[in-house]
Amino acid sequence: MGRLLLRLLFVVALPVVLVAVWWAASAGSTDPFWPPLRTILDTFPEVWTADRLRTDVVPSILRLLAGYATAALVGVALGTVIGSYRTVRAVCEPVLEFLRAVPPPVLVPVIMLFAGIGDGMKIVVIASGCVWPILLNTVEGVRAVDSVMLETARSYGVTGLARLRHLVLRSASPQIFAGLRQALSIGIILMVISEMFAANNGIGFTVVQFQRSFAIPDMWTGILVLGLLGFLLSVVFQLVERRVLGWYHGLRATTRRS
Amino acid sequence: MKGVNVALGAAGLAAFLALGEAVPRLGLVKEAYFPPTSRIAGALADEVTDSAFWQALGDTLTGWALGLAIAVCAGVVAGVVVSIVPYLREATASTIEFLRPIPSVALIPLAVLLYGTELRSVLLLVVYASFWQVLIQTLYGVQDVDPVAEETARSYGLGTWARVRHVLWPTALPYVMTGVRLAAAVALILAITAELVIGAPGLGQQIAVAQTSQAVPEMYALIVVAGLLGLLINVGARTVERRALAWHQSVRGEVAV
């Protein structure tokens, strides 16, 4: 019991101290850009009403999820194909390396040319930025599938979809998840930026709107919302990862102990 | 084998460029949106002779390098201090877990208000984004120190500084290098993003200008430059990593990562 309390203390102590410092340091602030934390928190419920959640936050999240899911599907599918055939890999590698190296936000102006400024544009932007880490990590993962296991599967007559599902994707999954994790943070960046460029709703759009109209406390609440969103998505991702890769982490822990 | 791979890679690249030439010429997409490779190459050639282009490239590289350097120093120092001071690691874990996933672009409006289009705007975003990469890797690395080596150093009477220098640092270095490599890529993304969205001088700003003035081939040419820059940074970071870790098992053992 005492130990649990101590651990809880460790978890909450520093955040509490930091928030307290922010509260105290900004309390009498007259600097327009650094409003008192009190004002920001007071503004929060006024700005982020249920209505605003429906018109701005939900569309943002839906676009992010649509783009991310598309990128995951395309990345894993293409990555499996490219990773499985050595010749295909050799042909594609330089081009893929180049495409990955292009900083994803510069795609926003290009995709605006093709897809206008609607939801489609934002989903395409998010997908086209997220796809590279997933694709390249899948290629690496599929490439590294144990050849003894591949031979064993073959001699037991495990072929086709069963082989793909139970052996290839399974053993590549730690790598695939590493790619998905990188893609998630790129996805959030692209979601915000595509909305800052051209949009009529979304969190990014709203935050910039506040900044341009010098509604500074409102802008700060927007920053907080983006922070909370990033944090929540990363927690959800960790939960999913722990479930899906449970076998792998268990295996790692066992080998390390022995 | 290697020669064959290079040849295949070159063939793939050539096919990619040829496709870029053929698709708009055949009218599959509008030339106004997606100019053929040759026109992009022409625009690129024009850019290279323009001094404004080199100025922009220099601005981008300055923001990138300065931001990366600050982030790496701060990340390594913070990582080492947090790991060797008792209880500090437990006390900071929750805060780090909370701050790390906050998207750095959330700071764009704040950066605009505080610094406008100055270099400091770019630095704020670049440093925030790449700091976490280095910090987390440093923390992992320091945790990986072999307790036997640590105890041995202690029993030989090495002081704190000597232990950091001879035991902790060599263990953590491979992790730190991975962090630096990741941070280098992230820093470029954020530098160009800041220029694109905020309008700080640099390649990103040039891309935004080309877009608003409908100079489509120039826009593509600048994007190609940004991609090449990213490629150079990736390759460069890997080379530095391999050099710095030439003594390390992972490099000597030659398992290409």
Side-chain angles (χ1 to χ4, degrees):
Chain A
M1 190 62 207
R3 177 169 292 180
L4 199 73
L5 221 64
L6 194 72
R7 274 193 61 187
L8 195 69
L9 192 73
F10 270 128
V11 171
V12 296
L14 187 62
V16 168
V17 170
L18 288 177
V19 172
V21 167
W22 183 3
W23 185 285
S26 67
S29 166
T30 49
D31 184 336
F33 299 150
W34 301 95
L37 182 55
R38 214 191 126 84
T39 320
I40 297 174
L41 293 181
D42 282 345
T43 321
F44 199 96
E46 285 165 30
V47 175
W48 299 97
T49 54
D51 211 31
R52 168 99 56 193
L53 290 183
R54 208 185 63 244
T55 55
D56 285 322
V57 179
V58 172
S60 283
I61 295 178
L62 286 181
R63 289 192 283 247
L64 174 64
L65 289 182
Y68 187 67
T70 313
L73 271 178
V74 173
V76 171
L78 272 182
T80 313
V81 174
I82 296 174
S84 306
Y85 302 99
R86 184 176 294 164
T87 323
V88 180
R89 199 168 68 228
V91 171
C92 296
E93 207 145 44
V95 176
L96 290 180
E97 285 291 333
F98 171 74
L99 290 176
R100 173 178 67 165
V102 174
V106 303
L107 299 172
V108 179
V110 177
I111 294 171
M112 265 167 72
L113 278 181
F114 287 94
I117 58 170
D119 282 343
M121 173 278 258
K122 287 166 198 113
I123 294 171
V124 173
V125 165
I126 294 169
S128 56
C130 290
V131 74
W132 308 112
I134 302 174
L135 175 63
L136 288 165
N137 273 295
T138 309
V139 170
E140 287 297 312
V142 169
R143 213 180 90 174
V145 173
D146 188 12
S147 59
V148 177
M149 283 196 193
L150 277 176
E151 291 298 321
T152 315
R154 185 169 299 156
S155 64
Y156 274 108
V158 180
T159 50
L161 272 181
R163 191 177 86 132
L164 185 68
R165 211 182 115 207
H166 295 293
L167 174 64
V168 176
L169 286 184
R170 194 95 264 241
S171 63
S173 59
Q175 284 267 13
I176 295 178
F177 266 88
L180 286 171
R181 176 185 289 276
Q182 284 177 31
L184 185 63
S185 48
I186 294 181
I188 299 178
I189 292 183
L190 288 175
M191 177 195 90
V192 177
I193 292 186
S194 66
E195 293 172 352
M196 284 179 170
F197 250 83
N200 44 30
N201 65 356
I203 311 176
F205 167 76
T206 313
V207 176
V208 169
Q209 220 44 29
F210 288 145
Q211 176 243 316
R212 291 203 179 132
S213 55
F214 284 91
I216 309 297
D218 308 47
M219 180 199 88
W220 273 98
T221 63
I223 294 180
L224 289 185
V225 166
L226 282 175
L228 284 175
L229 183 68
F231 176 70
L232 279 181
L233 286 173
S234 123
V235 169
V236 171
F237 185 89
Q238 264 180 22
L239 288 179
V240 174
E241 186 188 21
R242 203 171 299 161
R243 253 195 98 82
V244 178
L245 294 186
W247 60 274
Y248 172 72
H249 292 310
L251 196 71
R252 278 268 299 263
T254 327
T255 37
R256 199 173 293 163
R257 232 175 287 139
S258 59
Chain B
M1 194 63 225
K2 194 152 187 201
V4 176
N5 274 349
V6 171
L8 285 174
L13 200 59
F16 178 69
L17 293 175
L19 203 66
E21 181 76 33
V23 165
R25 291 242 184 257
L26 294 173
L28 295 176
V29 293
K30 275 197 210 160
E31 253 195 68
Y33 294 165
F34 186 82
T37 311
S38 53
R39 278 193 56 203
I40 299 177
L44 189 59
D46 286 344
E47 287 289 341
V48 174
T49 55
D50 187 357
S51 68
F53 163 77
W54 294 103
Q55 179 68 38
L57 189 64
D59 286 333
T60 299
L61 281 175
T62 312
W64 170 79
L66 216 56
L68 183 64
I70 297 172
V72 167
C73 292
V76 168
V77 170
V80 170
V81 168
V82 164
S83 316
I84 60 175
V85 176
Y87 302 119
L88 205 54
R89 200 184 147 81
E90 286 101 294
T92 50
S94 62
T95 311
I96 292 174
E97 279 310 304
F98 182 77
L99 288 179
R100 185 169 61 122
I102 291 180
S104 46
V105 286
L107 301 176
I108 285 181
L110 185 65
V112 172
L113 283 182
L114 290 178
Y115 306 125
T117 58
E118 276 179 54
L119 179 62
R120 279 188 287 178
S121 275
V122 179
L123 288 182
L124 178 68
L125 300 178
V126 171
V127 171
Y128 184 86
S130 32
F131 170 73
W132 301 109
Q133 314 278 348
V134 183
L135 176 70
I136 298 288
Q137 287 292 322
T138 311
L139 288 176
Y140 278 139
V142 177
Q143 215 179 22
D144 199 38
V145 167
D146 185 2
V148 177
E150 174 72 16
E151 288 305 315
T152 313
R154 233 177 247 277
S155 67
Y156 275 117
L158 264 63
T160 307
W161 173 243
R163 285 208 308 278
V164 168
R165 169 75 191 79
H166 295 292
V167 180
L168 199 146
W169 184 241
T171 317
L173 192 61
Y175 291 84
V176 174
M177 277 301 168
T178 308
V180 172
R181 180 155 56 80
L182 293 172
V186 169
L188 182 71
I189 294 179
L190 264 299
I192 289 192
T193 304
E195 294 159 5
L196 191 68
V197 180
I198 301 177
L203 283 178
Q205 186 211 34
Q206 298 275 317
I207 292 174
V209 169
Q211 187 227 352
T212 43
S213 56
Q214 303 286 324
V216 178
E218 283 73 24
M219 183 179 81
Y220 277 94
L222 289 165
I223 290 171
V224 169
V225 172
L228 290 177
L229 199 57
L231 201 61
L232 267 177
I233 286 173
N234 284 347
V235 173
R238 272 193 196 179
T239 314
V240 171
E241 194 176 6
R242 214 169 302 141
R243 282 274 165 79
L245 297 176
W247 51 273
H248 194 266
Q249 180 92 45
S250 66
V251 176
R252 272 189 303 145
E254 198 40 63
V255 188
V257 188

mmCIF file of all heavy atoms in Angstrom, chain B residues 161-190:
data_model
loop_
_atom_site.group_PDB
_atom_site.id
_atom_site.type_symbol
_atom_site.label_atom_id
_atom_site.label_comp_id
_atom_site.label_asym_id
_atom_site.label_seq_id
_atom_site.Cartn_x
_atom_site.Cartn_y
_atom_site.Cartn_z
ATOM 1 N N TRP B 161 32.112 11.386 -12.700
ATOM 2 C CA TRP B 161 32.412 11.871 -14.050
ATOM 3 C C TRP B 161 33.090 10.796 -14.883
ATOM 4 O O TRP B 161 32.737 10.566 -16.033
ATOM 5 C CB TRP B 161 33.269 13.134 -13.960
ATOM 6 C CG TRP B 161 33.737 13.577 -15.304
ATOM 7 C CD1 TRP B 161 35.015 13.646 -15.736
ATOM 8 C CD2 TRP B 161 32.909 13.969 -16.415
ATOM 9 N NE1 TRP B 161 35.050 14.056 -17.040
ATOM 10 C CE2 TRP B 161 33.769 14.264 -17.479
ATOM 11 C CE3 TRP B 161 31.524 14.087 -16.589
ATOM 12 C CZ2 TRP B 161 33.302 14.672 -18.714
ATOM 13 C CZ3 TRP B 161 31.054 14.488 -17.826
ATOM 14 C CH2 TRP B 161 31.936 14.777 -18.867
ATOM 15 N N ALA B 162 34.062 10.087 -14.253
ATOM 16 C CA ALA B 162 34.785 9.037 -14.976
ATOM 17 C C ALA B 162 33.836 7.900 -15.353
ATOM 18 O O ALA B 162 33.959 7.317 -16.433
ATOM 19 C CB ALA B 162 35.940 8.507 -14.120
ATOM 20 N N ARG B 163 32.902 7.605 -14.471
ATOM 21 C CA ARG B 163 31.949 6.531 -14.793
ATOM 22 C C ARG B 163 31.048 6.941 -15.948
ATOM 23 O O ARG B 163 30.766 6.146 -16.844
ATOM 24 C CB ARG B 163 31.104 6.187 -13.566
ATOM 25 C CG ARG B 163 31.839 5.386 -12.513
ATOM 26 C CD ARG B 163 30.862 4.513 -11.726
ATOM 27 N NE ARG B 163 29.738 5.255 -11.199
ATOM 28 C CZ ARG B 163 29.770 5.974 -10.074
ATOM 29 N NH1 ARG B 163 30.878 6.028 -9.364
ATOM 30 N NH2 ARG B 163 28.734 6.633 -9.670
ATOM 31 N N VAL B 164 30.618 8.213 -15.921
ATOM 32 C CA VAL B 164 29.798 8.698 -17.033
ATOM 33 C C VAL B 164 30.580 8.594 -18.333
ATOM 34 O O VAL B 164 30.091 8.111 -19.349
ATOM 35 C CB VAL B 164 29.343 10.157 -16.790
ATOM 36 C CG1 VAL B 164 28.757 10.751 -18.053
ATOM 37 C CG2 VAL B 164 28.337 10.220 -15.658
ATOM 38 N N ARG B 165 31.844 9.010 -18.264
ATOM 39 C CA ARG B 165 32.659 9.074 -19.467
ATOM 40 C C ARG B 165 32.999 7.679 -20.019
ATOM 41 O O ARG B 165 32.945 7.449 -21.229
ATOM 42 C CB ARG B 165 33.941 9.852 -19.136
ATOM 43 C CG ARG B 165 35.043 9.813 -20.151
ATOM 44 C CD ARG B 165 34.736 10.690 -21.347
ATOM 45 N NE ARG B 165 35.686 10.449 -22.414
ATOM 46 C CZ ARG B 165 35.616 9.414 -23.232
ATOM 47 N NH1 ARG B 165 34.652 8.536 -23.089
ATOM 48 N NH2 ARG B 165 36.497 9.260 -24.195
ATOM 49 N N HIS B 166 33.360 6.731 -19.133
ATOM 50 C CA HIS B 166 33.922 5.462 -19.618
ATOM 51 C C HIS B 166 32.947 4.299 -19.599
ATOM 52 O O HIS B 166 33.162 3.304 -20.287
ATOM 53 C CB HIS B 166 35.157 5.084 -18.787
ATOM 54 C CG HIS B 166 36.275 6.054 -18.957
ATOM 55 N ND1 HIS B 166 36.966 6.185 -20.135
ATOM 56 C CD2 HIS B 166 36.797 6.977 -18.117
ATOM 57 C CE1 HIS B 166 37.874 7.144 -20.004
ATOM 58 N NE2 HIS B 166 37.783 7.643 -18.793
ATOM 59 N N VAL B 167 31.909 4.366 -18.792
ATOM 60 C CA VAL B 167 30.965 3.253 -18.732
ATOM 61 C C VAL B 167 29.643 3.634 -19.385
ATOM 62 O O VAL B 167 29.154 2.978 -20.300
ATOM 63 C CB VAL B 167 30.708 2.812 -17.266
ATOM 64 C CG1 VAL B 167 29.729 1.655 -17.234
ATOM 65 C CG2 VAL B 167 32.015 2.440 -16.604
ATOM 66 N N LEU B 168 29.094 4.738 -18.915
ATOM 67 C CA LEU B 168 27.751 5.105 -19.328
ATOM 68 C C LEU B 168 27.700 5.565 -20.785
ATOM 69 O O LEU B 168 26.873 5.110 -21.570
ATOM 70 C CB LEU B 168 27.285 6.217 -18.387
ATOM 71 C CG LEU B 168 25.809 6.525 -18.271
ATOM 72 C CD1 LEU B 168 25.540 6.942 -16.850
ATOM 73 C CD2 LEU B 168 25.457 7.623 -19.226
ATOM 74 N N TRP B 169 28.620 6.447 -21.141
ATOM 75 C CA TRP B 169 28.568 7.048 -22.472
ATOM 76 C C TRP B 169 28.732 6.026 -23.588
ATOM 77 O O TRP B 169 27.925 6.012 -24.533
ATOM 78 C CB TRP B 169 29.593 8.176 -22.552
ATOM 79 C CG TRP B 169 29.551 8.913 -23.846
ATOM 80 C CD1 TRP B 169 30.557 9.015 -24.755
ATOM 81 C CD2 TRP B 169 28.445 9.642 -24.385
ATOM 82 N NE1 TRP B 169 30.146 9.751 -25.812
ATOM 83 C CE2 TRP B 169 28.861 10.148 -25.618
ATOM 84 C CE3 TRP B 169 27.148 9.893 -23.941
ATOM 85 C CZ2 TRP B 169 28.018 10.907 -26.419
ATOM 86 C CZ3 TRP B 169 26.307 10.637 -24.748
ATOM 87 C CH2 TRP B 169 26.741 11.138 -25.965
ATOM 88 N N PRO B 170 29.755 5.123 -23.493
ATOM 89 C CA PRO B 170 29.879 4.125 -24.569
ATOM 90 C C PRO B 170 28.641 3.228 -24.691
ATOM 91 O O PRO B 170 28.279 2.830 -25.794
ATOM 92 C CB PRO B 170 31.089 3.293 -24.146
ATOM 93 C CG PRO B 170 31.839 4.148 -23.211
ATOM 94 C CD PRO B 170 30.835 5.020 -22.516
ATOM 95 N N THR B 171 27.987 2.933 -23.580
ATOM 96 C CA THR B 171 26.784 2.099 -23.652
ATOM 97 C C THR B 171 25.644 2.849 -24.309
ATOM 98 O O THR B 171 24.887 2.305 -25.111
ATOM 99 C CB THR B 171 26.318 1.677 -22.248
ATOM 100 O OG1 THR B 171 27.458 1.290 -21.498
ATOM 101 C CG2 THR B 171 25.329 0.558 -22.306
ATOM 102 N N ALA B 172 25.533 4.122 -23.944
ATOM 103 C CA ALA B 172 24.381 4.888 -24.416
ATOM 104 C C ALA B 172 24.568 5.381 -25.846
ATOM 105 O O ALA B 172 23.585 5.652 -26.536
ATOM 106 C CB ALA B 172 24.135 6.070 -23.485
ATOM 107 N N LEU B 173 25.814 5.480 -26.298
ATOM 108 C CA LEU B 173 26.080 6.127 -27.587
ATOM 109 C C LEU B 173 25.276 5.552 -28.765
ATOM 110 O O LEU B 173 24.714 6.338 -29.540
ATOM 111 C CB LEU B 173 27.586 6.102 -27.893
ATOM 112 C CG LEU B 173 27.999 6.995 -29.049
ATOM 113 C CD1 LEU B 173 27.671 8.438 -28.757
ATOM 114 C CD2 LEU B 173 29.493 6.854 -29.347
ATOM 115 N N PRO B 174 25.209 4.220 -28.912
ATOM 116 C CA PRO B 174 24.411 3.722 -30.046
ATOM 117 C C PRO B 174 22.963 4.206 -30.004
ATOM 118 O O PRO B 174 22.398 4.560 -31.044
ATOM 119 C CB PRO B 174 24.464 2.200 -29.866
ATOM 120 C CG PRO B 174 25.649 1.943 -29.044
ATOM 121 C CD PRO B 174 25.842 3.132 -28.162
ATOM 122 N N TYR B 175 22.388 4.233 -28.825
ATOM 123 C CA TYR B 175 21.013 4.719 -28.692
ATOM 124 C C TYR B 175 20.940 6.203 -29.040
ATOM 125 O O TYR B 175 20.045 6.642 -29.740
ATOM 126 C CB TYR B 175 20.500 4.517 -27.258
ATOM 127 C CG TYR B 175 20.292 3.080 -26.869
ATOM 128 C CD1 TYR B 175 21.339 2.309 -26.403
ATOM 129 C CD2 TYR B 175 19.042 2.509 -26.969
ATOM 130 C CE1 TYR B 175 21.143 0.990 -26.039
ATOM 131 C CE2 TYR B 175 18.825 1.196 -26.603
ATOM 132 C CZ TYR B 175 19.889 0.441 -26.145
ATOM 133 O OH TYR B 175 19.682 -0.851 -25.781
ATOM 134 N N VAL B 176 21.903 6.964 -28.499
ATOM 135 C CA VAL B 176 21.917 8.410 -28.765
ATOM 136 C C VAL B 176 22.005 8.654 -30.263
ATOM 137 O O VAL B 176 21.304 9.509 -30.813
ATOM 138 C CB VAL B 176 23.090 9.086 -28.037
ATOM 139 C CG1 VAL B 176 23.186 10.551 -28.428
ATOM 140 C CG2 VAL B 176 22.925 8.951 -26.538
ATOM 141 N N MET B 177 22.847 7.856 -30.947
ATOM 142 C CA MET B 177 23.033 8.052 -32.384
ATOM 143 C C MET B 177 21.740 7.789 -33.143
ATOM 144 O O MET B 177 21.411 8.512 -34.082
ATOM 145 C CB MET B 177 24.132 7.108 -32.889
ATOM 146 C CG MET B 177 25.496 7.672 -32.664
ATOM 147 S SD MET B 177 25.597 9.240 -33.524
ATOM 148 C CE MET B 177 27.085 9.916 -32.890
ATOM 149 N N THR B 178 21.016 6.755 -32.731
ATOM 150 C CA THR B 178 19.705 6.510 -33.350
ATOM 151 C C THR B 178 18.802 7.716 -33.134
ATOM 152 O O THR B 178 18.117 8.167 -34.061
ATOM 153 C CB THR B 178 19.043 5.261 -32.732
ATOM 154 O OG1 THR B 178 19.969 4.195 -32.786
ATOM 155 C CG2 THR B 178 17.792 4.897 -33.467
ATOM 156 N N GLY B 179 18.837 8.251 -31.901
ATOM 157 C CA GLY B 179 18.027 9.430 -31.610
ATOM 158 C C GLY B 179 18.412 10.599 -32.493
ATOM 159 O O GLY B 179 17.545 11.309 -33.015
ATOM 160 N N VAL B 180 19.711 10.810 -32.690
ATOM 161 C CA VAL B 180 20.167 11.929 -33.518
ATOM 162 C C VAL B 180 19.705 11.742 -34.951
ATOM 163 O O VAL B 180 19.248 12.689 -35.598
ATOM 164 C CB VAL B 180 21.707 12.065 -33.453
ATOM 165 C CG1 VAL B 180 22.195 13.096 -34.444
ATOM 166 C CG2 VAL B 180 22.146 12.426 -32.047
ATOM 167 N N ARG B 181 19.779 10.491 -35.431
ATOM 168 C CA ARG B 181 19.351 10.228 -36.815
ATOM 169 C C ARG B 181 17.859 10.540 -36.979
ATOM 170 O O ARG B 181 17.453 11.205 -37.940
ATOM 171 C CB ARG B 181 19.634 8.762 -37.155
ATOM 172 C CG ARG B 181 19.236 8.353 -38.536
ATOM 173 C CD ARG B 181 20.058 7.159 -39.002
ATOM 174 N NE ARG B 181 19.980 6.027 -38.096
ATOM 175 C CZ ARG B 181 18.956 5.174 -38.070
ATOM 176 N NH1 ARG B 181 17.942 5.346 -38.870
ATOM 177 N NH2 ARG B 181 18.954 4.158 -37.240
ATOM 178 N N LEU B 182 17.052 10.076 -36.038
ATOM 179 C CA LEU B 182 15.617 10.380 -36.113
ATOM 180 C C LEU B 182 15.375 11.881 -36.007
ATOM 181 O O LEU B 182 14.583 12.460 -36.749
ATOM 182 C CB LEU B 182 14.867 9.665 -34.981
ATOM 183 C CG LEU B 182 14.822 8.146 -35.050
ATOM 184 C CD1 LEU B 182 14.227 7.576 -33.779
ATOM 185 C CD2 LEU B 182 14.023 7.704 -36.257
ATOM 186 N N ALA B 183 16.094 12.517 -35.059
ATOM 187 C CA ALA B 183 15.910 13.949 -34.837
ATOM 188 C C ALA B 183 16.283 14.757 -36.076
ATOM 189 O O ALA B 183 15.640 15.762 -36.385
ATOM 190 C CB ALA B 183 16.722 14.406 -33.631
ATOM 191 N N ALA B 184 17.320 14.311 -36.797
ATOM 192 C CA ALA B 184 17.756 15.055 -37.982
ATOM 193 C C ALA B 184 16.640 15.097 -39.021
ATOM 194 O O ALA B 184 16.384 16.146 -39.632
ATOM 195 C CB ALA B 184 19.010 14.418 -38.573
ATOM 196 N N ALA B 185 15.960 13.952 -39.199
ATOM 197 C CA ALA B 185 14.867 13.913 -40.175
ATOM 198 C C ALA B 185 13.693 14.772 -39.702
ATOM 199 O O ALA B 185 13.127 15.549 -40.476
ATOM 200 C CB ALA B 185 14.411 12.474 -40.406
ATOM 201 N N VAL B 186 13.353 14.635 -38.415
ATOM 202 C CA VAL B 186 12.231 15.405 -37.874
ATOM 203 C C VAL B 186 12.518 16.905 -37.957
ATOM 204 O O VAL B 186 11.642 17.698 -38.305
ATOM 205 C CB VAL B 186 11.957 14.977 -36.418
ATOM 206 C CG1 VAL B 186 10.999 15.935 -35.749
ATOM 207 C CG2 VAL B 186 11.400 13.571 -36.378
ATOM 208 N N ALA B 187 13.767 17.282 -37.666
ATOM 209 C CA ALA B 187 14.125 18.704 -37.686
ATOM 210 C C ALA B 187 13.917 19.299 -39.077
ATOM 211 O O ALA B 187 13.420 20.420 -39.204
ATOM 212 C CB ALA B 187 15.575 18.877 -37.243
ATOM 213 N N LEU B 188 14.262 18.540 -40.120
ATOM 214 C CA LEU B 188 14.066 19.065 -41.478
ATOM 215 C C LEU B 188 12.574 19.256 -41.767
ATOM 216 O O LEU B 188 12.163 20.297 -42.301
ATOM 217 C CB LEU B 188 14.686 18.136 -42.517
ATOM 218 C CG LEU B 188 14.546 18.655 -43.943
ATOM 219 C CD1 LEU B 188 15.441 19.853 -44.168
ATOM 220 C CD2 LEU B 188 14.796 17.591 -44.972
ATOM 221 N N ILE B 189 11.781 18.256 -41.380
ATOM 222 C CA ILE B 189 10.332 18.366 -41.604
ATOM 223 C C ILE B 189 9.792 19.627 -40.944
ATOM 224 O O ILE B 189 9.069 20.411 -41.553
ATOM 225 C CB ILE B 189 9.600 17.124 -41.048
ATOM 226 C CG1 ILE B 189 10.002 15.891 -41.843
ATOM 227 C CG2 ILE B 189 8.085 17.324 -41.107
ATOM 228 C CD1 ILE B 189 9.348 14.612 -41.361
ATOM 229 N N LEU B 190 10.193 19.842 -39.677
ATOM 230 C CA LEU B 190 9.636 20.982 -38.951
ATOM 231 C C LEU B 190 10.177 22.308 -39.477
ATOM 232 O O LEU B 190 9.452 23.302 -39.511
ATOM 233 C CB LEU B 190 9.914 20.840 -37.461
ATOM 234 C CG LEU B 190 8.774 20.230 -36.639
ATOM 235 C CD1 LEU B 190 7.535 21.099 -36.738
ATOM 236 C CD2 LEU B 190 8.419 18.826 -37.107
#
